[in-house]
Amino acid sequence: MKRQARGGGPVVSGAFSAKAAKMAKTAEKSADSATDQYGFPQLRRRLGRADLRAVPEVRKALRDLLAQWGRPGRSDIAELLTSELVTNALIHTDYDAVFTATVGPNGLRVEVRDFVGRRPTLRVPKADDGTHGRGLVLVQSLSDAWGVRQHGVGKTVWFELL
């Protein structure tokens, strides 16, 4: 069963606050973790503002993490959906973002946190729109679950593959 994006909570827009800057620094310090708090394999990266070179770098790092997962078809989907979320965070915000992927007993969870409260919009792409507007449709179609979690500053867009 698919869960669709849902949310609530405060929406923050405007200038990058001191609180958001502090949160980004905290996330940066914990980047590249080998395991999460429960001992599951985890990949964590800070993504520089508008640095689209991060997209293939994150894909490769995710591929390396998932090599031990033993689900090659799902790994390809994970890479595609990760590319969509990372690209969205980098082109639709003007701030850093944080990527986290965790392989647990129930599958893979990927999260991309940014520091802009504006929620992403799921829209049906138009035929003449080129390649724009398809990212969240792919996430919705190919993931087992996905959503958006609002924070005091910003949001996390996530998906799960079981």
Side-chain angles (χ1 to χ4, degrees), residues 29-51:
K29 287 179 186 175
S30 64
D32 294 329
S33 302
T35 60
D36 72 355
Q37 63 186 4
Y38 304 106
F40 297 119
Q42 184 178 71
L43 173 64
R44 199 169 161 87
R45 295 278 168 93
R46 185 188 62 81
L47 309 170
R49 180 178 67 93
D51 182 9

Side-chain angles (χ1 to χ4, degrees), residues 66-86:
L66 296 179
Q68 64 208 20
W69 193 27
R71 301 186 70 188
R74 300 298 271 177
S75 296
D76 293 342
I77 292 169
E79 283 187 55
L80 172 64
L81 300 184
T82 294
S83 293
E84 295 298 336
L85 294 189
V86 169

Side-chain angles (χ1 to χ4, degrees), residues 102-122:
T102 307
V103 178
N106 296 325
L108 171 71
R109 182 176 177 98
V110 170
E111 300 179 344
V112 178
R113 167 122 193 231
D114 66 49
F115 300 94
V116 174
R118 184 179 59 250
R119 293 178 58 82
T121 304
L122 180 67

